[in-house]
Amino acid sequence: MKNENYIKAIFTIIFSIISSIFGNLTTPVILLVSCNLIDYATGLMASPYRKEDINSYKSIRGIIKKVAMWLLICVGAIIDEMIIYASGAAGIDIPLTFLIACVVAIWLTCNEIISILENIKDIGVKTPGFLEPLMRNIKSQVEDKVKITDNDSEKGEDYEHF
């Protein structure tokens, strides 16, 4: 029993630190990490069923893709901080933290779940018919809730990318 208490204490400490760092971004972050791991594992398992070779190039590409997802969440967090800073400078108090980062994390999690479902289908496991349309619906609703129209792009103006 003593060992169980140590394990519980270690998990409590770890999740307390994570929660103090990420705040309301904690749950989406944990969900995305879980989905990243499951997607990677199911992708490896589905490779033989797709008649694909498992090689280091594809594995590294998959890992780089996952890292890029985390960078997108970091970009969302940076945007959140810029909005909070700018609004504070303007004298407007915005009580939200990590809003953009949360939306990005949820959207990425939905993408990962869709990928997991596709991997599981390729393995040959029958999945409930409602899951994939449900996830696509959730993903599109997240996109619709934060849809921002770009007036300049509607006028046909091009932007230079650095």
Side-chain angles (χ1 to χ4, degrees), residues 17-140:
I17 292 169
I18 291 171
S19 184
S20 69
I21 293 170
F22 293 115
N24 65 347
L25 191 57
T26 302
T27 301
V29 163
I30 291 172
L31 291 174
L32 185 59
V33 168
S34 302
C35 287
N36 284 152
L37 295 173
I38 294 168
D39 183 48
Y40 192 77
T42 57
L44 289 175
M45 290 188 289
S47 291
Y49 294 94
R50 294 177 181 148
K51 309 282 190 264
E52 294 176 351
D53 291 336
I54 299 173
N55 60 40
S56 59
Y57 174 73
K58 284 187 179 180
S59 293
I60 293 296
R61 235 177 65 196
I63 291 170
I64 289 171
K65 213 170 142 180
K66 305 295 183 207
V67 169
M69 288 180 186
W70 290 102
L71 293 176
L72 277 176
I73 293 173
C74 291
V75 168
I78 290 168
I79 292 169
D80 284 327
E81 288 302 313
M82 287 179 9
I83 290 170
I84 290 169
Y85 177 77
S87 65
I92 303 168
D93 183 35
I94 297 180
L96 301 174
T97 56
F98 294 128
L99 177 66
I100 305 294
C102 278
V103 170
V104 170
I106 291 167
W107 185 80
L108 290 170
T109 302
C110 289
N111 274 341
E112 288 290 275
I113 291 171
I114 291 168
S115 178
I116 291 166
L117 291 172
E118 289 170 352
N119 292 341
I120 289 173
K121 271 189 192 176
D122 289 347
I123 292 170
V125 175
K126 188 126 173 100
T127 57
F130 69 89
L131 277 180
E132 197 167 331
L134 177 67
M135 289 313 303
R136 290 189 198 283
N137 187 12
I138 292 170
K139 179 181 165 187
S140 69

Side-chain angles (χ1 to χ4, degrees), residues 13 43 50 98 142 153:
I13 291 168
R50 294 177 181 148
F98 294 128
V142 169
S153 66

Side-chain angles (χ1 to χ4, degrees), residues 1-11:
M1 278 251 230
K2 239 181 177 180
N3 288 337
E4 290 175 11
N5 289 336
Y6 285 123
I7 292 171
K8 288 178 186 178
I10 290 170
F11 274 105

